[in-house]
Amino acid sequence: MRRTTRLGAYVASAALTLSGLTLIGVAPAQAASDPVPRQTAASWLGGQLNGEGLMYNKQYDFVDYGLSIDAALALDAIGGHGTEVQKTSDGLAANINAYITGGQWAPDDIYSGSVAKAAVLAGVAGDDPTSFGGVDLIQTLEARVATAAPIAGRLEDKGSADYANVLGQALAARALDKQGSARADEVTDFLLQQQCGSGYFRLNFAKSKSAAQGCVEGSDAPDTDATAFALIQLADQSSDATVASALTKARAWLISQQQCDGSFGGGTTTEGANANSTGLVAWAFGDTPASRQAATWLRGRQATAADSGNGLATETGAIAYDDSGLAAGRADGITDSTADQWRRATAQAAPGMAWFSADPTPALNLSGPSGYLEAGTKTVLTTSGAGEGTVLCVTGPGVNETGVTDDAGLDSSVTLPAGTSARVYT
């Protein structure tokens, strides 16, 4: 959302006067959502599945089962795509061992995160995860849950390497809780240990399985994707007071990370604004001011009918990872080497598009004191008219502030700079 409001400031003899107080470009708190962005995203995503309901990677010549599940879970969240979700579940069931084990190279290895992800898909498709392609996914998953301190409740892979992380742990918490597993509580408890005091979840577990297992603030890097993903997977347990408290802290931390344009960056390797992170947060939040701002940013990176004259003419609905990805797509189309990024971005962003509004009616006002103000003094600029929980950014001489509105709006303290001049605030 563009915040182009200018607050003009006219000064004489080192004094400042404020006038022209308006802000434009922010949707009202209860604007009706536009179904087109999510519907076209879902159609494009469903069109990427082959006849077996699976994603085939042409660049590297393999079936990407994990991405297939991502697409199916997104389609399930959007709704109205039960046929595609069922087809993906059937396709995965027919190839389940190729996904959850090391396949022909290491058939005895078991990847716990893959087992958990498959179990979640089976659940949303209405299939039985205890008998999925001839495999009891719940029993297999329970066997991958550590029982000894200090890692009791932690997922562990079977094999020469352990790739388990917070994403798989969150999926396991959801799958086991859904099935009423006796291991569900300890898996959820271990997941909650991965949340730091400020509210974020780290992505990776402690390297040592004999050391303390909790998230260490300032040492463990925050991860936007892991935090949003945990929110999504723990939603069904929100009636539990401990889980609810953790979710509240996670939401507060995520809101503090939103940029003025509505976007979010990811973890340490994906810090720039991107559709994966922005989409996951919007998906996790549901209908809130933050998710509506995020959806507007996502819409600006989606192929639409306006792309009829460029490389994205036949890709309506696809969502680019970032601005450079969108520019490359418009220039060269979606190629075998870039399709994976587009698919992953769309799978994670499409559900968050549910909160996009095509009616960004002006709703904000920026006000300040009238008359002449002496340079070097402090004054307050007040933004009103936004819904509670909206992320606003106020910039100009003496202020560069990002804040979240309360029910009264947002106050920004400004220290007026020295010198006789007109000042502009945005």
Side-chain angles (χ1 to χ4, degrees), residues 2-28:
R2 297 183 61 203
R3 291 169 178 76
T4 58
T5 303
R6 299 274 168 83
L7 174 61
Y10 303 94
V11 292
S13 300
L16 179 66
T17 182
L18 308 178
S19 63
L21 313 182
T22 56
L23 260 178
I24 62 173
V26 178

Side-chain angles (χ1 to χ4, degrees), residues 8-9 13 24-25 40 58 150 184 186 205 227 312-313 325 369 373 384-385 415:
S13 300
I24 62 173
T40 56
K58 292 182 180 180
E186 57 190 312
F205 300 138
T227 305
L312 297 176
L373 300 174
S384 61
T415 299

Side-chain angles (χ1 to χ4, degrees), residues 134-268:
V135 176
D136 186 336
L137 296 174
I138 301 303
Q139 185 179 70
T140 303
L141 186 57
E142 290 173 334
R144 304 313 325 143
V145 179
T147 57
I151 62 169
R154 180 196 191 277
L155 290 191
E156 293 185 285
D157 291 345
K158 178 184 177 183
S160 58
D162 188 353
Y163 302 103
N165 61 20
V166 167
L167 304 182
Q169 189 79 21
L171 288 162
R174 175 178 175 178
L176 295 177
D177 176 72
K178 181 71 173 179
Q179 291 297 308
S181 169
R183 310 304 299 276
D185 286 348
E186 57 190 312
V187 169
T188 298
D189 288 345
F190 191 85
L191 172 61
L192 296 182
Q193 289 183 49
Q194 311 315 306
Q195 183 178 35
C196 264
S198 61
Y200 68 81
F201 282 77
R202 62 183 180 182
L203 175 61
N204 297 307
F205 300 138
K207 292 182 179 180
S208 172
K209 294 183 180 181
S210 61
Q213 298 297 304
C215 184
V216 180
E217 189 85 30
S219 178
D220 290 314
D223 194 285
T224 303
D225 293 29
T227 305
F229 196 77
L231 276 175
I232 294 168
Q233 307 310 324
L234 286 171
D236 288 343
Q237 299 188 54
S238 59
S239 60
D240 179 279
T242 301
V243 173
S245 176
L247 298 184
T248 297
K249 289 172 58 179
R251 290 189 188 95
W253 181 83
L254 284 169
I255 288 177
S256 73
Q257 303 304 301
Q258 190 168 30
Q259 302 301 307
C260 297
D261 59 4
S263 68
F264 289 84
T268 55

Side-chain angles (χ1 to χ4, degrees), residues 10-391:
Y10 303 94
V11 292
S13 300
L16 179 66
T17 182
L18 308 178
S19 63
L21 313 182
T22 56
L23 260 178
I24 62 173
V26 178
Q30 299 299 325
S33 63
D34 179 355
V36 172
R38 67 177 181 273
Q39 289 174 353
T40 56
S43 295
W44 183 87
L45 194 59
Q48 299 301 300
L49 301 169
N50 65 17
E52 295 181 89
L54 303 172
M55 291 280 188
Y56 179 71
N57 186 308
K58 292 182 180 180
Q59 182 182 13
Y60 297 111
D61 189 26
F62 76 100
V63 176
D64 193 330
Y65 298 109
L67 182 54
S68 304
I69 299 176
D70 290 337
L73 294 180
L75 293 172
D76 175 72
I78 292 169
H81 293 271
T83 300
E84 292 100 318
V85 174
Q86 186 61 62
K87 184 174 287 189
T88 298
S89 186
D90 292 343
L92 182 67
N95 298 275
I96 189 60
N97 285 311
Y99 177 53
I100 67 172
T101 74
Q104 59 181 315
W105 297 279
D108 294 328
D109 287 2
I110 298 177
Y111 304 123
S112 57
S114 297
V115 177
K117 199 171 186 177
V120 169
L121 173 63
V124 302
D127 293 327
D128 184 1
T130 67
S131 181
F132 189 77
V135 176
D136 186 336
L137 296 174
I138 301 303
Q139 185 179 70
T140 303
L141 186 57
E142 290 173 334
R144 304 313 325 143
V145 179
T147 57
I151 62 169
R154 180 196 191 277
L155 290 191
E156 293 185 285
D157 291 345
K158 178 184 177 183
S160 58
D162 188 353
Y163 302 103
N165 61 20
V166 167
L167 304 182
Q169 189 79 21
L171 288 162
R174 175 178 175 178
L176 295 177
D177 176 72
K178 181 71 173 179
Q179 291 297 308
S181 169
R183 310 304 299 276
D185 286 348
E186 57 190 312
V187 169
T188 298
D189 288 345
F190 191 85
L191 172 61
L192 296 182
Q193 289 183 49
Q194 311 315 306
Q195 183 178 35
C196 264
S198 61
Y200 68 81
F201 282 77
R202 62 183 180 182
L203 175 61
N204 297 307
F205 300 138
K207 292 182 179 180
S208 172
K209 294 183 180 181
S210 61
Q213 298 297 304
C215 184
V216 180
E217 189 85 30
S219 178
D220 290 314
D223 194 285
T224 303
D225 293 29
T227 305
F229 196 77
L231 276 175
I232 294 168
Q233 307 310 324
L234 286 171
D236 288 343
Q237 299 188 54
S238 59
S239 60
D240 179 279
T242 301
V243 173
S245 176
L247 298 184
T248 297
K249 289 172 58 179
R251 290 189 188 95
W253 181 83
L254 284 169
I255 288 177
S256 73
Q257 303 304 301
Q258 190 168 30
Q259 302 301 307
C260 297
D261 59 4
S263 68
F264 289 84
T268 55
T269 60
T270 57
E271 292 178 342
N274 67 84
N276 293 64
S277 303
T278 304
L280 280 176
V281 176
W283 183 353
F285 276 6
D287 189 7
T288 66
S291 54
R292 289 191 289 274
Q293 289 177 284
T296 299
W297 186 89
L298 291 170
R299 180 61 166 166
R301 280 80 195 160
Q302 184 178 37
T304 70
D307 290 299
S308 60
N310 59 49
L312 297 176
T314 61
E315 308 289 357
T316 299
I319 301 171
Y321 176 78
D322 56 13
D323 290 343
S324 61
L326 180 63
R330 286 173 170 167
D332 305 318
I334 298 177
T335 66
D336 288 349
S337 62
T338 63
D340 182 73
Q341 186 186 77
W342 281 87
R343 289 170 170 179
R344 292 182 188 281
T346 305
Q348 293 190 349
M353 296 293 281
W355 319 120
F356 174 75
S357 170
D359 182 28
T361 306
L364 295 183
N365 291 298
L366 183 64
S367 60
S370 60
Y372 292 90
L373 300 174
E374 184 179 356
T377 61
K378 291 186 177 181
T379 190
V380 174
L381 304 182
T382 298
T383 308
S384 61
E388 183 175 359
T390 301
V391 176

